[in-house]
Amino acid sequence: MDNNKIRVGITHGDTNGIGYEVIIKALGDPAMCELCTPIIYGSQRIATFYRKGIDLESPLKFNIISSAADADPDGVNLVEVLGKDANVDPGVESKEAGEYAFISLEWAVADLKDGLIDVLVTAPIDKKTIQSDKFNFPGHTEYLEASFGEGKKPLMILFNDHVRVALVTTHLPIAQIPAAITKDAILEKLRIFNTTLKRDFNINAPRIAVLALNPHAGEHGLLGKEEDEVIIPAISEARDEKIIAFGPYPADGFFGSELYSYFDGVLAMYHDQGLAPFKTIAMTSGVNFTAGLPYVRTSPDHGTGFDIAGKNKANADSMREAIYNAIDIFRNRARYDEMYSNTLRRQYFDKSNDNVVLDLTKDEETD
């Protein structure tokens, strides 16, 4: 028994969607428990309901617990958060299922902050039915920022083995996007992206492509001025900070020509600009990662799938990749932080006196 396994907290999302199906299928591989300790925040009754309709090569048993502190390091654990009377109605949008989704999320976030789990993986929610006095956010990203951001700003990144796409704006109506595209906003996201590529993805000198806002990158102002007045100045300032950024690139040609393969990350201006081509490229392997926050959170890159809920049709690859990558990011971050926690001060000899060695502190650095 390995008590040092990474403890992966998993929320069940909307209980009438495909959340339980992809969780059960992903955890149905016995090798998963060799890599981590899964802890589902959910309902034994609902989990059992969905498990009966799924064909698994090996039977999946849940270790039912009342606290993550009691998790079996070598088993699939389920913290009962709803009680024995929980209802389920596959494929139906309901306020009740939205409440269940929030209870699971709230409980998991509390345990993450208390150190009872190491990383968080969230199944899809219905952004409408989850709304309440306690959850008044466009999505997970904004809720997590408010819950444990500690003043830090999040960055939504969708990635797989071939491409990483980050967003300047996330869940905004199209009409509000131009006003939100400012030099400061782009520069802030570039800084976070650059840091997370180094810290979380183990890339030493990341190259970041920045997409344009307007068609054909504005055609020198003919189709919009944001490129010349906002995006290019932001890229220039980022380069002054030694961030390796290029652009702005017209989004259509950039993805169509597979130019993304030459970069470690792509910064898109808005949600669909980046995620529509990403999901076409990634197919079922995509992962959503909330970068920039003190804790690691990933999720599948798909929605609730109400149309196929309860029909044993959901593909679990994205959930499986979300779990694997949460583990990888957690380890990368720990190694990076350890590596840079006790860095030596830079020293140099005073040319006027070869016997004197001076410390070059951060306040004295000139390069």
Side-chain angles (χ1 to χ4, degrees):
M1 182 174 66
D2 184 0
N3 291 321
N4 295 316
K5 287 180 180 177
I6 294 174
R7 299 162 298 176
V8 180
I10 304 172
T11 63
H12 62 195
D14 191 291
T15 52
N16 289 346
I18 61 174
Y20 269 106
E21 182 176 338
V22 296
I23 291 170
I24 291 168
K25 287 180 176 179
L27 299 182
D29 181 356
M32 187 66 77
C33 287
E34 297 177 8
L35 297 174
C36 66
T37 299
I39 303 172
I40 305 167
Y41 291 82
S43 160
Q44 179 182 8
R45 183 174 186 270
I46 297 177
T48 301
F49 171 85
Y50 281 108
R51 184 179 57 185
K52 290 178 179 178
I54 300 172
D55 296 324
L56 296 174
E57 292 183 5
S58 303
L60 179 63
K61 296 181 180 180
F62 299 110
N63 176 38
I64 308 302
I65 54 179
S66 58
S67 169
D70 301 322
D72 175 4
D74 299 315
V76 176
N77 302 276
L78 189 149
V79 179
E80 180 61 66
V81 301
L82 298 185
K84 63 180 181 180
D85 296 326
N87 297 314
V88 59
D89 195 359
V92 176
E93 290 186 73
S94 76
K95 192 65 179 176
E96 186 176 43
E99 292 173 358
Y100 291 167
F102 177 71
I103 291 170
S104 172
L105 178 62
E106 184 181 41
W107 196 310
V109 166
D111 279 1
L112 186 64
K113 294 165 69 174
D114 288 342
L116 295 180
I117 56 175
D118 299 307
V119 298
L120 176 64
V121 177
T122 59
I125 59 173
D126 183 304
K127 293 178 175 60
K128 179 181 178 181
T129 60
I130 197 174
Q131 297 297 318
S132 68
D133 292 339
K134 293 183 178 181
F135 190 101
N136 187 21
F137 302 92
H140 277 114
T141 303
E142 296 81 4
Y143 173 78
L144 296 176
E145 177 188 4
S147 298
F148 53 61
E150 299 176 6
K152 296 182 179 180
K153 293 295 183 180
L155 177 67
M156 182 186 290
I157 301 176
L158 275 288
F159 71 94
N160 70 353
D161 291 339
H162 306 292
V163 61
R164 303 174 191 89
V165 178
L167 306 176
V168 176
T169 62
T170 53
H171 301 113
L172 273 184
I174 292 293
Q176 298 177 19
I177 289 173
I181 301 299
T182 66
K183 187 186 79 169
D184 288 343
I186 296 171
L187 192 56
E188 177 185 67
K189 300 302 184 183
L190 278 171
R191 288 168 179 154
I192 300 171
F193 203 9
N194 187 60
T195 298
T196 199
L197 288 170
K198 293 178 179 179
R199 185 182 181 214
D200 299 328
F201 292 92
N202 196 30
I203 299 171
N204 185 41
R207 298 160 297 175
I208 302 173
V210 181
L211 299 185
L213 175 65
N214 297 297
H216 306 292
E219 289 282 12
H220 303 290
L222 180 65
L223 302 178
K225 298 181 179 180
E226 286 84 0
E227 284 72 24
D228 292 337
E229 297 180 357
V230 178
I231 302 176
I232 292 175
I235 294 173
S236 178
E237 192 165 332
R239 287 178 177 173
D240 291 340
E241 298 181 13
K242 299 183 179 180
I243 297 173
I244 307 172
F246 302 89
Y249 296 98
D252 55 350
F254 182 85
F255 287 105
S257 64
E258 298 186 2
L259 193 56
Y260 60 84
S261 63
Y262 293 94
F263 296 92
D264 300 299
V266 181
L267 184 66
M269 293 297 110
Y270 58 94
H271 188 280
D272 285 13
Q273 182 191 51
L275 300 198
F278 170 80
K279 292 186 178 183
T280 301
I281 296 166
M283 299 298 288
T284 60
S285 65
V287 176
N288 183 352
F289 169 46
T290 305
L293 299 183
Y295 302 95
V296 175
R297 174 260 173 168
T298 63
S299 73
D301 72 344
H302 55 71
T304 54
F306 287 131
D307 57 325
I308 59 172
K311 300 178 181 179
N312 194 25
K313 293 182 178 180
N315 188 310
D317 287 351
S318 187
M319 172 58 78
R320 192 175 293 109
E321 289 297 322
I323 296 172
Y324 289 154
N325 280 280
I327 296 169
D328 288 344
I329 291 170
F330 181 84
R331 290 173 174 164
N332 287 341
R333 184 175 291 189
R335 283 194 293 264
Y336 182 94
D337 291 348
E338 181 180 7
M339 185 183 304
Y340 288 96
S341 61
N342 294 304
T343 54
L344 295 175
R345 286 183 173 181
R346 193 177 304 173
Q347 297 180 331
Y348 70 97
F349 283 97
D350 185 348
K351 293 181 180 179
S352 64
N353 185 345
D354 290 342
N355 295 321
V356 178
V357 178
L358 302 177
D359 284 332
L360 185 61
T361 64
K362 288 185 178 179
D363 292 337
E364 296 167 335
E365 288 183 4
T366 57
D367 60 343

